[in-house]
Each structure stands twice: as structure tokens, then as C-alpha cells.
Amino acid sequence: MRAGTAEPEHAVIVSGFQQGLVLALGALARSGVEQVGLEDPGPRQHDEIVRRAGMRPVAVPVDGAGLDVDALRRPGARAVLVTPAHQCPTGVVMGPERRHALVAWAAEVDGIILEDDYDAEFRYDRQPVGSLQGLAPDRVLALGSLSKTMAPGIRLGWLLVSQSLVGPVVREKLLTSRGAPALDQLALAVLMESGRYDRHVLRMREAYRIRSDVLAGAVAQHAPGLRLVGLDAGCHAVLELPAGVAEADVVRSALHHAVRVHGVSHYRVDAPRAAEAHVPAALVLGFGNVGEERILHGVDVLGGIIADGRA
């Protein structure tokens, strides 16, 4: 991770992000944590995973600087899961002041921050954003995987765990898993040591940047006047819908034309406080595994549907 810090014995290899999250939550539950803050809107199914670990998810609103730390303080959670490098799905970057406030919150409540290294490698406007874990290794448990940089089928990920949690996390892994594939780990080590992994990431960053430019141009042509945000990193962007156009109607009509998109409401957290957060109508447009022609076609279809909805 960028500017992360950990001793080798604090790195736990897992079979992907989701297994790492399950192990981390299991260790936290057994240490007495009862509530986990989740970004709202945020990545899908995390609320269900938290419940399966025996804890209660709490929805925490996200604004233009990332997770609202003041709102996190109110419910009394002692753990929080965040995507600071490129918030899922809004695309905002957690700013320096908000990062320091979040670390201060963790110290105040004797809590832990679970950092999802989401989209961190694919930044187009500047150098990749530094990790939260480097600010407070004793308060941040960092999770990463190869799902986006290589392929989802390569089931490898990692946790950088603090001294106080490494034992409980390793215990969770021993009781639930026989370990990650050794040959895959050795192959990855060769790629990293030879520099080929870094070269691959650079090539993919350029490929995704080109697709993001195509998406931005298509929106300017087929949906002029609409705001497209979150394009500075990652493989998706958010298209804000005009007043009076319903997310669900656009999603349903697009699917009828073989164009699959999700509304931001698809990412709402099913947990207390969720109803308090106002999330404007918008569409999440993915372009990571979509060719340029399909991007142009999809935005053309969406532009027509939205124009009809405004009429």
C-alpha cells in the first residue's frame, strides 16, 4: 500500500477482500465491538456481512470530503469501514482534515478503522492517494486484493493488521480457512520483484483512463448539461440525474435496451440512520470491463431515456 507500514508478521494473506473483511469483523466481534459504521451510500452487502459477524451496522452519511466523522460519533460505534482513496460509489477522496479527524475518533473511542483500498491504484489526475494505515498503524486495519489490478479469479488479498489484532485475526483464519494458494503467491512475488506487476498496473491505468475520457465525452454529447462525478480514479463514475427523473425508471428502461446500470439508491445501507441521509438521484456507470463502442452506445441510450423523462 502507498505509504503504509507494517512488519512482515502483521501481514495476513487471504483469498480476497471479502474473506479478509469477514476475518477482521470476526476478530472485532470477539473483542467486544458491537456496532460498525458503514459509509452510506457504500459498497453492497457490507451491512449483511456485519450482521453475520454478530454486530450491528450503522449507516454514516458521506459528503464531498468523505465519511462524516461527526455523524459517526453519535451512534457509539467502535469500528468503521471506509473507502478513502475513491469512495464507493460517489468517487470522492477523503481529504486530509477528514482523515486526521477519523484517526482522532478511533483514538477517542479505542476503536479501529477498516480501510478498504478501493480503486487506489487507478488514479488519473495525480499520483495515487496515500493510505490511512500509514497515519495510524495501531488504529487502521488495511484490506487489499488483486481483484481489480489483476483479475477477480485470482483469489489473493491481504490484511495489514495492528499488533493488538494480529493474533485474533490469525486465529479466525486458522478456524475458517486452509490458507491462500501458495503457487499463486509465489507467482505474484516474481511479478512484483521483476517489476512486471508495476508495468501491468501502469498499462491498465492508461487503458481505464482512455475509457473514462470516452465516457466523459459521450455524456457531453448525449446527455449535455448533466454532471458526471468520480471520474478521477477507478472504473466507474456517477451521473447525477435532473430533478423529476426517477432512478428506478431510468434503470428499468435502460435494462429493456440491454444497458445495465445501477442507481445510487442500490448502494444505500440497510441500517439505522440510513433514512436520515438524503442521497440525490444518480446513476453509477461502470466502464472497467466495457469497450469503447459499448460505452458510447450505453450513454446514447441513457441520454434518450433521461431526455424523455424530463419532457
Side-chain angles (χ1 to χ4, degrees):
M1 294 181 66
R2 303 140 325 281
T5 177
E7 298 298 325
E9 58 268 23
H10 294 171
V12 180
I13 305 302
V14 293
S15 63
F17 168 83
Q18 188 155 306
Q19 187 197 32
L21 178 60
V22 169
L23 297 179
L25 291 174
L28 289 173
R30 284 158 184 76
S31 71
V33 174
E34 297 178 350
Q35 299 183 85
V36 179
L38 298 177
E39 295 172 325
D40 186 34
R44 293 282 295 164
Q45 298 181 324
H46 287 176
D47 45 8
E48 183 176 355
I49 294 172
V50 168
R51 288 192 188 90
R52 282 177 172 265
M55 295 179 287
R56 185 165 71 97
V58 177
V60 183
V62 172
D63 59 24
L67 182 98
D68 185 339
V69 180
D70 289 335
L72 173 63
R73 286 189 170 93
R74 291 193 284 269
R78 288 184 47 234
V80 64
L81 176 60
V82 293
T83 52
H86 188 236
Q87 201 276 330
C88 176
T90 66
V92 302
V93 177
M94 185 178 287
E97 291 185 6
R98 194 66 61 85
R99 288 169 177 247
H100 287 288
L102 186 59
V103 169
W105 162 84
E108 290 167 11
V109 302
D110 189 24
I112 193 78
I113 302 164
L114 302 173
E115 179 182 12
D116 178 356
D117 203 33
Y118 183 80
D119 280 347
E121 301 88 350
F122 299 121
R123 191 88 209 164
Y124 313 124
D125 60 336
R126 57 181 172 181
Q127 291 298 311
V129 178
S131 69
L132 266 176
Q133 193 269 350
L135 290 178
D138 58 331
R139 292 293 178 190
V140 180
L141 189 157
L143 304 99
S145 79
L146 295 177
S147 292
K148 286 194 174 182
T149 55
M150 296 291 287
I154 301 176
R155 303 311 306 158
L156 278 181
W158 54 86
L159 307 180
L160 297 183
V161 189
S162 66
Q163 178 66 45
S164 62
L165 275 177
V166 67
V169 168
V170 169
R171 183 63 178 167
E172 290 289 321
K173 183 182 177 185
L174 289 174
L175 293 175
T176 60
S177 167
R178 300 297 293 178
L183 288 178
D184 291 358
Q185 294 182 61
L186 292 171
L188 177 62
V190 170
L191 288 176
M192 289 182 166
E193 290 168 356
S194 67
R196 282 178 284 180
Y197 176 80
D198 288 339
R199 292 194 293 273
H200 165 74
V201 171
L202 288 173
R203 284 195 300 271
M204 295 312 300
R205 187 182 299 161
E206 178 62 13
Y208 292 146
R209 185 196 63 77
I210 291 171
R211 292 179 195 174
S212 72
D213 289 345
V214 171
L215 177 61
V219 169
Q221 179 180 355
H222 299 294
L226 297 189
R227 187 165 174 251
L228 188 67
V229 297
L231 264 181
D232 294 331
C235 301
H236 77 271
V238 174
L239 180 65
E240 297 178 353
L241 294 177
V245 176
E247 264 184 23
D249 292 343
V250 178
V251 170
R252 184 168 51 252
S253 296
L255 189 58
H256 181 72
H257 290 85
V259 175
R260 185 178 180 85
V261 294
H262 288 300
V264 167
S265 59
H266 180 73
Y267 296 83
R268 295 302 305 277
V269 176
D270 181 14
R273 301 188 66 81
E276 299 179 19
H278 174 65
V279 180
L283 302 176
V284 178
L285 310 182
F287 55 84
N289 60 351
V290 183
E292 294 178 21
E293 290 187 5
R294 291 296 297 170
I295 292 173
L296 293 170
H297 169 72
V299 175
D300 186 15
V301 169
L302 291 173
I305 293 170
I306 293 168
D308 290 343
R310 299 174 77 173

